[in-house]
Amino acid sequence: MTFGNEILAQAEVLSKFTEDAPRLTRTYLTAEHRQAGNFILELMRDAGMAASYDALGNVVGRYEASHANAPTVISGSHMDSVRNAGKYDGLFGILTAIACVKDLSARGKRLPFAIEVAAFGDEEGVRFGSTLMGSRAMAGSFDPEWLARKDANGVTLRQALVDFGCDPEGWRALDRHGKNVVAYIESHIEQGPVLLEAGLPVGVVTSIAGASRARVSVTGLAGHAGTVPMDVRRDALTAASEMILAVETHCRENAGLVGTVGRIEALPGAVNVIPQDVSFSIDLRSGEDGPRREAIGAVRGKIEAIAKKRRVTLGWDAYFESSAAPCDAALQEKLAASIERMDIAVRRLPSGAGHDAMMFPPLCPTAMLFVRCGNGGISHHPDEILAAEDADVATSVLLDFLESFSPAR
């Protein structure tokens, strides 16, 4: 069976459910979330699954096992998007899992475990600022304080759930602890160029990077651009510029680290006034927690030294930290074996991006399969590309993995 063309056609339909056409933007608990969820719901049912929305707006389909009281394997990804997104980030992991179940159902085959396919409503965190809410709930780490969070229009998460027809207090029942879940596996576009440069359609993910994020504020002294001599200035923007370069330099000099400054604001923002107040973000990631934590401390030390040298005041708000999530070694080997049975060389690589899969290691063994991302590996962008041939290979690998997987007794 050829899966790729059908999956890409389904992704094309889903790309039409957007808040700001012709761009693709689909955020949590919106009308477009409902449209996408309903489409996915019908795909699941057509594939032979019982499917419904859960209390937080995730869409979950279930394909029963060959016998009663069997364990469960979960597969899936997210259906929300960043702003001005590509067509395959998250959605491929949902559609490929549905395609596998559809193939099993068409052959009348049941496995020694049930398969749940999860289409998580919120991974990106665009609307309420709390990422991975759907998978956190399923993995038992949902924080009820998030229910009070507000979107840009002042709507709380609690109210948005009610308006969507969900149950804000129902998150407790989504926890899969004690439900005999024996594995979580997610297929995802790589969102990078490693597989593309290696000439390989798929790869085995070894770990999902942890991240540290901070907001940095720099306060100098405003002054007239024409009258304040250069040697007495306390320019917050030039100080921040040196700090930003220090982030880049540290990460370039230490293998396994990546660091990004994605936001910056300078005030008062006039062409003829020395900047007094600057704020910028730092996002620092690594597949290992130890080096990442050491790096964030080292970077902060360098930034503090720059502030002292340039006579500016520094503020540091470490507002987010997530631990690295290593993928299960045994499941990595099983994925590798499935790839080898397709006569494809096995490439192992870490994920620098966060995924729903990173929530599941405390619940069950977790694995990820990457599929090649075309066009230089670009993602989170309309130019994101997935070839039908690669989608077909990745789905075939996932199906082989499922059919050859034997849950531990």
Side-chain angles (χ1 to χ4, degrees), residues 190-222:
E190 182 196 343
Q191 299 182 282
V194 175
L195 292 174
L196 185 66
E197 293 176 356
L200 295 171
V202 291
V204 178
V205 178
T206 56
S207 66
I208 303 169
S212 296
R213 294 176 183 169
R215 299 183 188 92
V216 181
S217 58
V218 184
T219 304
L221 184 63

Side-chain angles (χ1 to χ4, degrees), residues 304-325:
E304 288 173 344
I306 294 167
K308 183 177 180 180
K309 178 185 69 175
R310 286 185 169 268
R311 297 178 299 114
V312 295
T313 303
L314 184 71
W316 180 281
D317 174 21
Y319 69 95
F320 176 86
E321 182 163 328
S322 66
S323 298

Side-chain angles (χ1 to χ4, degrees), residues 72-93:
T72 297
V73 171
I74 302 174
S75 187
S77 194
H78 61 98
M79 59 176 157
D80 67 323
S81 80
V82 296
R83 301 195 184 282
N84 197 29
K87 298 175 183 177
Y88 309 108
D89 173 22
L91 288 175
F92 176 72

Side-chain angles (χ1 to χ4, degrees), residues 17 27 39 61 70 128 175 245 273 332 344 391:
F17 305 138
T27 58
F39 182 75
F128 294 100
D175 186 350
L245 288 175
V273 180
Q332 286 187 53
I344 298 169

Side-chain angles (χ1 to χ4, degrees), residues 6-350:
E6 184 174 30
I7 288 173
L8 264 59
Q10 293 165 351
E12 189 66 32
V13 173
L14 284 160
S15 73
K16 306 305 180 187
F17 305 138
T18 174
E19 298 163 34
D20 57 356
R23 304 195 315 169
L24 172 54
T25 301
R26 185 169 50 252
T27 58
Y28 187 36
L29 301 175
T30 57
E32 292 73 25
H33 173 173
R34 175 71 71 184
Q35 290 174 315
N38 288 351
F39 182 75
I40 291 168
L41 199 68
E42 291 308 309
L43 292 179
M44 289 177 171
R45 290 170 177 167
D46 290 344
M49 286 181 271
S52 61
Y53 286 93
D54 69 16
L56 292 183
N58 306 310
V59 175
V60 182
R62 185 174 174 89
Y63 185 70
E64 295 295 348
S66 56
H67 60 280
N69 302 316
T72 297
V73 171
I74 302 174
S75 187
S77 194
H78 61 98
M79 59 176 157
D80 67 323
S81 80
V82 296
R83 301 195 184 282
N84 197 29
K87 298 175 183 177
Y88 309 108
D89 173 22
L91 288 175
F92 176 72
I94 301 167
L95 299 176
T96 188
I98 294 172
C100 289
V101 173
K102 183 178 180 179
D103 183 77
L104 291 169
S105 180
R107 290 185 278 133
K109 184 170 184 177
R110 300 278 175 174
L111 301 177
F113 50 87
I115 301 173
E116 284 193 1
V117 178
F120 298 112
D122 177 86
E123 188 254 19
E124 301 288 4
V126 173
R127 183 175 179 187
F128 294 100
S130 295
T131 61
L132 302 156
M133 280 195 281
S135 48
R136 286 180 191 272
M138 195 173 286
S141 57
F142 183 83
D143 186 346
E145 292 186 0
W146 294 335
L147 294 170
R149 290 209 168 192
K150 296 181 180 180
D151 67 8
N153 295 318
V155 178
T156 65
L157 173 58
R158 179 183 295 277
Q159 185 60 52
L161 285 166
V162 170
D163 293 344
F164 199 78
C166 293
D167 176 11
E169 300 305 324
W171 57 269
R172 295 174 179 84
L174 306 189
D175 186 350
R176 294 302 197 270
H177 281 87
K179 303 293 179 62
N180 202 12
V181 176
V182 292
Y184 175 90
I185 178 166
E186 180 170 352
S187 298
H188 205 284
I189 59 169
E190 182 196 343
Q191 299 182 282
V194 175
L195 292 174
L196 185 66
E197 293 176 356
L200 295 171
V202 291
V204 178
V205 178
T206 56
S207 66
I208 303 169
S212 296
R213 294 176 183 169
R215 299 183 188 92
V216 181
S217 58
V218 184
T219 304
L221 184 63
H224 195 291
T227 61
V228 180
M230 297 300 292
D231 59 349
V232 298
R233 293 188 178 199
R234 294 165 57 197
D235 187 325
L237 184 54
T238 55
S241 300
E242 188 174 348
M243 294 170 185
I244 292 167
L245 288 175
V247 174
E248 181 189 54
T249 300
H250 186 86
C251 292
R252 282 182 177 273
E253 292 175 349
N254 291 271
L257 289 173
V258 290
T260 304
V261 173
R263 298 183 63 183
I264 185 168
E265 182 181 25
L267 296 173
V271 67
N272 61 344
V273 180
I274 298 166
Q276 175 169 296
D277 298 292
V278 174
S279 61
F280 63 91
S281 63
I282 296 177
D283 181 305
L284 199 151
R285 305 188 188 203
S286 173
E288 298 180 59
D289 288 332
R292 173 179 53 82
R293 290 176 180 138
E294 290 176 7
I296 199 72
V299 166
R300 181 172 181 174
K302 292 178 179 180
I303 286 175
E304 288 173 344
I306 294 167
K308 183 177 180 180
K309 178 185 69 175
R310 286 185 169 268
R311 297 178 299 114
V312 295
T313 303
L314 184 71
W316 180 281
D317 174 21
Y319 69 95
F320 176 86
E321 182 163 328
S322 66
S323 298
C327 292
D328 181 77
L331 292 187
Q332 286 187 53
E333 293 305 317
K334 292 181 185 298
L335 264 182
S338 293
I339 292 171
E340 288 174 336
R341 282 192 283 272
M342 303 292 167
D343 294 321
I344 298 169
V346 175
R347 177 65 184 262
R348 299 174 191 266
L349 67 165

